């Protein structure tokens, strides 16, 4: 069971949305291979147009540290970081580590669909 989630908040260049999308899609291959449980990357849809999120879960902080070590040696991961640096579509990045409150994670709706 995963116990911590790394919430990454990105301030992005809103005019380079597609570059960030490519960057996020690349992590879809890299993160699981390096040991992270990728919950998803999220682009702004309405409202603020320059904030995006990435959520990655880990079994422990030790698992996160092992993931970071593997990520540093992953050629595709290094290339993805370099692409972001070269294109400069990430203006700011913040990381927050959270833990799930028991009994509250990924609860599906219990509402039954209305009859047509």
């Amino acid at each position: 069971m995963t116990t911590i989630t790394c919430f990454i908040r990105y301030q992005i260049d809103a005019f380079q949305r597609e570059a960030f999308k490519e960057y996020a899609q690349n992590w879809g291959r890299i993160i699981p291979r390096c040991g992270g449980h990728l919950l998803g990357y999220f682009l702004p849809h309405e409202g603020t147009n320059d904030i995006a999120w990435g959520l990655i879960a880990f079994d422990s902080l030790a698992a996160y540290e092992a993931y970071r070590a593997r990520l540093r040696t992953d050629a595709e991961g290094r290339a993805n970081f370099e692409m972001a640096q070269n294109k400069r579509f990430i203006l700011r990045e913040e990381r927050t580590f959270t833990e799930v409150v028991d009994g509250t994670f990924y609860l599906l709706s219990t509402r039954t669909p209305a009859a047509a």
Side-chain angles (χ1 to χ4, degrees), residues 23 75-88:
Y23 172 81
E76 190 179 7
R78 285 193 318 270
N80 207 34
F81 281 126
E82 289 173 15
M83 184 259 292
Q85 289 175 336
N86 291 336
K87 292 186 177 183
R88 297 179 171 217

Side-chain angles (χ1 to χ4, degrees), residues 1-5 36-37 39 56-60 99-100 102 105:
M1 177 175 166
T2 56
T3 59
I4 65 165
T5 300
H37 308 292
L39 302 178
I56 310 166
F58 300 93
D59 295 330
S60 65
E99 61 182 270
V100 173
D102 289 338
F105 183 68

